[in-house]
Amino acid sequence: MDIQQTIDELRDELVQTVQAASRDEIAWSWVAKAVARILHEHSTGVSRTVLLTELESQWYAEVSSDLNQSGVVRTVAPFFHNAGSTAPPESTVFGLKINNTWKLKHTDFWIWQVSGAPDPENAGSNVAGARDLKKRNTADKQADLFVHQRYYPMLSACEFDGFFSNMRTMLATRLSIADRGGGASGFPVRTLLPTTSLAFVLRLKDDQNLSKLLRRHTDEALMRDIFGVEYTGTRFRKCGQPAFSVDQIWCKVEAIHMPQMRMHDGRKMHVQEVECFYEQNTAGESQVVVLEFWDADMAMVRLFNSGDYLGLLCPNVLARDAAGVPTRVDYGANAIAFCMKGISRYPSTSITQTAIARNDLGFFDYSNYAHRVRLSELCSDIMHLDLLAHVKQISHNLPFSRGDDGEEDRYVVKLEDASVDVERDVTLWGELSSQCTRFKSGHLVLLTNLETNTEGEPGDSDLKINGSIEIDSTVFNLSTLPGMLTSPGLRTYTSLAALPSKGSRFIKARVTKTVAAPTGLCDARDRLQATTLVHDACGWPVGFSSGSSGTGTQEVITGPTDMYVFDCTGCRRMRLPEGEVVSAFSICANVDDGTAVRETHVDALAASRLLVLTAVQFLELPSAAEQTSALARAVGKEIVSAVSMYADLCDQTNAMRIDVLCPAEDVGVTDDI
């Protein structure tokens, strides 16, 4: 049984465990990614029962997160715990209800009296539940909150008349509390300090997931006045001119990207981008707008989830298209934020789907697709695509020029799967590409959050598949997960006689021979040429630099490596710094399991595990005889290993490689007893 079959079986077992309505409710890619993460964390192995328990726990957490706004604290009680208790961290997101607004006597300071807000998706499906909800919302502690000056104009503007009454709720973070003094008999008056990391929650009657309590007070009129939009049953459309002659946008959150470091105002600063669909066109079309949150404003991103609607009043518009529609927006120092949970006409019961429709921009969104996608099924305009396939070939670095911004790393990975005669190239960009430099032919890899498009005339040859950190792509090399080796309940062994010509399998065999397999330049201290010089950062072999005194045809370095200058053949880094060129094992082994004897290449890290010494320790052995003896120590050992079968592109033959191994005695029991 290979890893692909394991994932399919675990998915079926998980369906039975959680009693899901159908197999399609649990996405294949969700199981694949969860298994890869768990086995990466449990390198010493995990039983099938424990793995299923962990999958079940993560599944319920995922469903809960999707059906409810997770991570939101809907009470101010944590600020009023006993003296000496730890205050809630500033990263906590609070759901608050504004009960009253007034100006502090003899000052110009405004105060909101707040308490915990009701969950907007708690519909109170039964009488007792509704009664408990009402009790919780009315008996909660209350606190005073200083209003930040940014929101003072809203308190007097006629357009916001009544806005802060009738169950007005908001999401807020970066909250802290202090004593403002002036209490009777010297008692402290603890007041929440002002924050701009907040968003006022808007609601529409169309949202069937709202509780009756909240559906009594909705914001259709305000949205027409402030943003000039109305909800048409499926989406928002422009319905008139906003009341304020300032920049404002109403958009739907599509993706929240990871924080980055970029130059801003002459210095490096943190920034987090939120990609949205702009929904204010008269024609009802959506366009992409990218929102930037810099440094302290990044806290705002905690308030939003993919699928939420987001409104910004007075943001800093950085770029517009030819029609004047914003395409890039900085949240800025004056913006006021409004948000709305994604509208559900009916309560959601599942986070997955079995059919794919085009989204507002015409893309096929595979984020919740239930099934495994094969290479032969791909087309253009797919987003959030997950692929499980074998590596046929990987290119060296093909740097792409970004003009004044320099070059961006780029690798192309050629993939193949069970699709007949179908291969696809996936281009991995920037920081993500550095994670694939150790891919080798035959490796089984899982690539997530990819996108497809076409260039030129449509056709299979024009299909482009791309992945990058900017679109939250990730890579998992399933062939090198040691957790699978020591977890026999998750896989079975394949006999050497039954190994296919291509694929990834697990074997249990005895080593009968180990020999050097020279592949490039090696240190002079290596008398057997059982090692090769590689770039430590990417694992690719190195060659002599054009500025070095060495020659490109020389295979053995005749002195210490720091006397030479090297270039990396893989990532194309020139004149590598001292210390970045290291030795790695390059050996082959014969293995025998009683059904056949096979010659196999051994990955450099697996070779160190097999020989129980590092390449550096091997080079320090003073004679050829001792190095030969070190290689021979592996003979007779019984090992469990993950192997890859692949086509050797150099001599056009089928080859076998041990990707990762462990001694047979390290393998645990088959499952919990």
Side-chain angles (χ1 to χ4, degrees):
M1 179 168 62
D2 64 0
I3 299 177
Q4 302 176 69
Q5 185 179 348
T6 296
I7 294 172
D8 290 338
E9 291 184 357
L10 288 170
R11 183 183 176 208
D12 290 336
E13 293 173 34
L14 183 61
V15 169
Q16 299 300 319
T17 302
V18 301
Q19 298 179 341
S22 73
R23 191 171 187 262
D24 289 343
E25 290 189 28
I26 299 182
W28 179 92
S29 61
W30 184 90
V31 178
K33 287 181 282 190
V35 169
R37 286 192 296 265
I38 293 170
L39 291 179
H40 178 74
E41 295 168 358
H42 294 78
S43 59
T44 56
V46 61
S47 71
R48 198 178 191 92
T49 301
V50 171
L51 179 57
L52 273 171
T53 301
E54 182 65 21
L55 288 173
E56 182 182 0
S57 174
Q58 292 188 16
W59 169 255
Y60 281 127
E62 186 84 8
V63 172
S64 175
S65 174
D66 188 77
L67 297 183
N68 303 286
Q69 189 170 8
S70 62
V72 176
V73 177
R74 298 189 175 276
T75 174
V76 294
F79 289 107
F80 296 93
H81 286 161
N82 294 331
S85 62
T86 304
E90 279 200 346
S91 59
T92 305
V93 176
F94 288 88
L96 302 177
K97 175 166 64 79
I98 299 175
N99 299 315
N100 200 1
T101 304
W102 76 89
K103 184 177 287 188
L104 198 60
K105 188 180 296 186
H106 307 306
T107 73
D108 293 326
F109 298 131
W110 285 91
I111 297 285
W112 281 322
Q113 185 187 65
V114 298
S115 61
D119 188 336
E121 293 183 349
N122 189 334
S125 57
N126 57 67
V127 175
R131 195 158 42 236
D132 290 342
L133 176 65
K134 182 178 181 180
K135 180 180 179 182
R136 185 168 65 250
N137 289 331
T138 56
D140 186 27
K141 284 184 175 293
Q142 299 190 67
D144 291 348
L145 167 64
F146 280 113
V147 180
H148 193 279
Q149 291 182 352
R150 181 180 301 192
Y151 308 105
Y152 282 9
M154 297 177 66
L155 301 177
S156 56
C158 61
E159 290 82 2
F160 288 100
D161 186 32
F163 181 78
F164 296 109
S165 60
N166 296 326
M167 294 290 294
R168 176 58 54 203
T169 61
M170 61 185 178
L171 297 174
T173 187
R174 299 188 72 207
L175 287 178
S176 58
I177 198 165
D179 178 13
R180 76 169 185 252
S185 302
F187 285 101
V189 180
R190 303 180 71 190
T191 306
L192 295 168
L193 299 178
T195 180
T196 58
S197 298
L198 63 84
F200 300 105
V201 177
L202 302 181
R203 300 179 290 269
L204 295 181
K205 288 185 173 65
D206 295 79
D207 191 350
Q208 298 301 309
N209 269 2
L210 286 179
S211 66
K212 293 180 181 178
L213 183 68
L214 295 176
R215 204 177 295 129
R216 298 192 194 109
H217 311 288
T218 54
D219 299 298
E220 287 82 356
L222 182 135
M223 297 195 63
R224 287 193 297 269
D225 292 342
I226 304 304
F227 296 105
V229 296
E230 64 181 359
Y231 188 64
T232 62
T234 57
R235 52 162 295 135
F236 285 93
R237 294 175 186 266
K238 190 175 182 63
C239 65
Q241 291 299 319
F244 296 110
S245 58
V246 295
D247 285 322
Q248 44 76 31
I249 62 171
W250 181 257
C251 53
K252 186 176 183 180
V253 178
E254 169 59 24
I256 299 174
H257 299 302
M258 298 297 291
Q260 308 172 43
M261 287 289 290
R262 287 214 311 258
M263 293 299 296
H264 186 64
D265 292 336
R267 61 190 180 96
K268 272 194 171 183
M269 298 173 61
H270 287 93
V271 63
Q272 190 164 8
E273 292 185 348
V274 177
E275 188 174 341
C276 302
F277 292 149
Y278 183 85
E279 295 205 329
Q280 287 170 276
N281 298 327
T282 305
E285 299 175 350
S286 293
Q287 294 175 262
V288 170
V289 55
V290 177
L291 310 182
E292 296 179 351
F293 295 84
W294 292 88
D295 272 7
D297 290 335
M298 285 173 53
M300 287 290 298
V301 181
R302 302 184 201 128
L303 310 181
F304 313 130
N305 294 300
S306 178
D308 289 357
Y309 292 92
L310 176 59
L312 294 182
L313 190 63
C314 302
N316 181 20
V317 177
L318 303 177
R320 303 177 187 270
D321 64 11
V325 175
T327 57
R328 184 166 289 273
V329 174
D330 177 4
Y331 179 70
N334 301 306
I336 298 173
F338 303 81
C339 69
M340 177 189 295
K341 295 296 294 179
I343 298 174
S344 300
R345 296 182 62 82
Y346 304 98
S348 175
T349 59
S350 171
I351 66 167
T352 57
Q353 60 189 38
T354 57
I356 298 296
R358 291 186 182 271
N359 63 18
D360 292 338
L361 289 181
F363 291 98
F364 295 107
D365 187 348
Y366 274 66
S367 56
N368 294 320
Y369 186 59
H371 310 293
R372 178 183 171 186
V373 182
R374 305 285 181 173
L375 295 178
S376 59
E377 300 169 341
L378 299 183
C379 62
S380 183
D381 301 327
I382 293 177
M383 62 192 306
H384 301 143
L385 170 68
D386 299 331
L387 290 177
L388 179 69
H390 284 93
V391 175
K392 183 173 184 179
Q393 191 177 4
I394 179 171
S395 73
H396 51 67
N397 191 16
L398 305 168
F400 183 80
S401 175
R402 296 293 186 184
D404 294 339
D405 294 330
E407 292 184 334
E408 183 176 15
D409 289 343
R410 175 180 54 164
Y411 288 80
V412 178
V413 183
K414 187 178 292 294
L415 299 178
E416 56 185 357
D417 62 11
S419 305
V420 179
D421 298 327
V422 176
E423 300 173 352
R424 296 292 188 193
D425 289 345
V426 177
T427 303
L428 301 177
W429 297 83
E431 184 181 341
L432 182 71
S433 67
S434 64
Q435 301 177 33
C436 75
T437 56
R438 298 182 189 272
F439 286 179
K440 294 181 179 178
S441 297
H443 278 169
L444 180 67
V445 296
L446 177 65
L447 309 177
T448 74
N449 268 349
L450 305 175
E451 293 183 351
T452 70
N453 57 67
T454 55
E455 296 179 3
E457 294 298 321
D460 284 348
S461 61
D462 299 313
L463 186 67
K464 310 297 180 184
I465 310 174
N466 294 281
S468 68
I469 292 293
E470 285 69 29
I471 59 173
D472 300 325
S473 304
T474 59
V475 299
F476 298 94
N477 190 340
L478 303 187
S479 292
T480 59
L481 288 175
M484 285 292 291
L485 294 181
T486 49
S487 305
L490 304 182
R491 81 293 181 281
T492 56
Y493 298 123
T494 301
S495 68
L496 292 176
L499 287 175
S501 59
K502 293 182 182 180
S504 299
R505 295 293 188 273
F506 299 94
I507 65 167
K508 185 177 183 180
R510 195 171 298 277
V511 179
T512 60
K513 183 181 180 181
T514 53
V515 296
T519 57
L521 302 175
C522 67
D523 193 290
R525 295 171 293 172
D526 182 356
R527 279 85 175 176
L528 308 180
Q529 296 189 45
T531 63
T532 187
L533 293 174
V534 300
H535 184 196
D536 190 35
C538 68
W540 281 64
V542 300
F544 285 116
S545 173
S546 57
S548 172
S549 58
T551 63
T553 59
Q554 188 174 0
E555 294 185 351
V556 178
I557 306 302
T558 57
T561 56
D562 57 7
M563 294 177 58
Y564 297 85
V565 180
F566 300 96
D567 298 337
C568 179
T569 60
C571 62
R572 298 294 182 92
R573 300 290 188 262
M574 303 292 108
R575 303 181 68 82
L576 297 174
E578 182 179 350
E580 288 195 16
V581 178
V582 298
S583 290
F585 278 116
S586 179
I587 66 172
C588 286
N590 285 2
V591 291
D592 183 354
D593 70 346
T595 67
V597 178
R598 294 287 298 266
E599 181 182 48
T600 177
H601 299 283
V602 185
D603 181 80
L605 293 178
S608 293
R609 185 81 186 274
L610 178 65
L611 301 176
V612 199
L613 81 167
T614 65
V616 173
Q617 292 170 328
F618 177 83
L619 293 176
E620 291 174 347
L621 296 174
S623 67
E626 290 182 86
Q627 290 181 348
T628 301
S629 176
L631 288 186
R633 289 177 200 160
V635 175
K637 287 185 177 180
E638 188 177 30
I639 61 171
V640 170
S641 61
V643 299
S644 293
M645 281 65 65
Y646 60 97
D648 191 316
L649 300 179
C650 296
D651 56 17
Q652 302 299 312
T653 61
N654 290 330
M656 171 178 162
R657 182 185 59 252
I658 291 176
D659 294 312
V660 62
L661 62 82
C662 71
E665 59 265 25
D666 287 356
V667 176
V669 295
T670 56
D671 206 348
D672 293 338
I673 298 176

